[in-house]
Amino acid sequence: MSATILIIEDEPAILELLSINLQHAGYAVNTAQDTRQALAQIQSVLPDLILLDWMLPDQPGIRLAQQLRAAPRTREIPLIMLTARGTEQDKVDGLEAGADDYLTKPFSPRELLARIKSLLRRRAPQLTPDPIQAGDLRLDPNTRQVFGGQQALPMGPTEFRLLHFLMTHAQRVYSRGQLLDQVWGDHVFVEERTVDVHIRRLRKALSPARQDHTIQTVRGAGYRFSTTHTE
Ligand code: CA
């Protein structure tokens, strides 16, 4: 699953350069040239990461950052501010407005890609291709394979995404609603019971290698991934 990045930048040449570089690196790219367009974009597709220019024609990018952080739907989106302003106070303001990182123009596309990768790894590890190992269980997003020890554990695409999300957020408990948002996608109207169906299929897929215990039900709260046995 490739990450979708929204670039908010009013200078067409920079916007194009960024789009080409990010697409080349395998990201899906959406663009906006002011904060109004950006909000409309976000309304229709929730991006996995936002690149936000500081100086925009309708209002400062920093104001948009504050708005995004104040709204439950957009609060968690990883955000990198791009700016020609490089004073320490600007950086502090940007970070206080909710930016996760800050790049001063001009920057090299390589540096930007490295920052994006590291931010996604930190904030949305299920969107990176890094293989994950937890106990005997190993999941490789590149080959879309899961192994329990030496044994391959075939599973459907939804079960794979569900396991990938849970493994990258081990120990944390997620409600059915949160799992729908994270794994099925925002704006998808699926009944919460659907989650239970896929959890059951996932456990069944893991059971030949006795790894089904890693998908744990937390009564009244939801599900979690843990390699520790619980009762
Ligand atoms: Ca600008």
Side-chain angles (χ1 to χ4, degrees):
M1 185 159 61
S2 82
T4 300
I5 299 183
L6 173 63
I7 311 171
I8 309 166
E9 164 67 75
D10 59 319
E11 285 160 71
I14 299 181
L15 187 58
E16 201 189 334
L17 180 75
L18 291 175
S19 302
I20 290 168
N21 273 289
L22 293 182
Q23 280 165 357
H24 210 80
Y27 296 107
V29 173
N30 289 324
T31 61
Q33 302 202 18
D34 58 37
T35 67
R36 220 165 37 98
Q37 275 181 22
L39 288 170
Q41 277 279 0
I42 293 166
Q43 183 57 36
S44 66
V45 182
L46 196 65
D48 299 305
L49 184 143
I50 293 176
L51 297 181
L52 176 59
D53 186 29
W54 187 297
M55 303 281 277
L56 291 166
D58 57 345
Q59 65 167 343
I62 198 167
R63 282 281 307 281
L64 180 65
Q66 287 163 339
Q67 283 168 264
L68 295 175
R69 288 300 180 242
R73 183 162 171 267
T74 53
R75 185 174 293 150
E76 304 286 332
I77 304 175
L79 180 73
I80 299 177
M81 296 256 349
L82 308 175
T83 175
R85 310 161 59 137
T87 69
E88 192 179 74
Q89 188 57 46
D90 288 339
K91 289 184 189 180
V92 171
D93 290 347
L95 296 172
E96 279 184 349
D100 295 287
D101 202 354
Y102 190 101
L103 264 174
T104 307
K105 291 176 190 171
F107 49 80
S108 75
R110 270 186 65 196
E111 178 175 12
L112 176 66
L113 289 172
R115 299 280 191 103
I116 288 174
K117 221 170 154 183
S118 117
L119 182 54
L120 283 176
R121 193 168 284 146
R122 206 159 79 225
R123 296 281 304 275
Q126 75 278 12
L127 299 173
T128 65
D130 305 344
I132 316 161
Q133 176 96 37
D136 287 335
L137 198 60
R138 179 180 160 83
L139 179 146
D140 188 343
N142 299 297
T143 58
R144 257 217 70 237
Q145 279 183 307
V146 177
F147 285 89
Q150 296 301 313
Q151 185 168 12
L153 300 169
M155 63 183 66
T158 304
E159 285 70 52
F160 184 86
R161 286 205 310 276
L162 188 57
L163 180 63
H164 193 189
F165 178 78
L166 288 170
M167 282 183 83
T168 50
H169 297 81
Q171 305 301 337
R172 277 154 66 179
V173 180
Y174 289 91
S175 69
R176 292 168 177 80
Q178 286 172 319
L179 289 174
L180 282 176
D181 282 348
Q182 298 285 345
V183 177
W184 276 258
D186 166 71
H187 278 355
V188 174
F189 298 98
V190 188
E191 280 186 72
E192 294 202 344
R193 246 181 311 163
T194 306
V195 176
D196 302 335
V197 172
H198 288 279
I199 288 278
R200 254 198 316 275
R201 288 188 195 158
L202 175 55
R203 283 181 178 142
K204 201 171 164 207
L206 295 174
S207 65
R210 296 169 178 274
Q211 293 296 315
D212 45 315
H213 67 90
T214 58
I215 307 299
Q216 301 174 357
T217 303
V218 181
R219 199 161 299 177
Y223 297 104
R224 107 181 123 209
F225 178 89
S226 174
T227 52
T228 317
H229 283 270
T230 53
E231 288 315 310

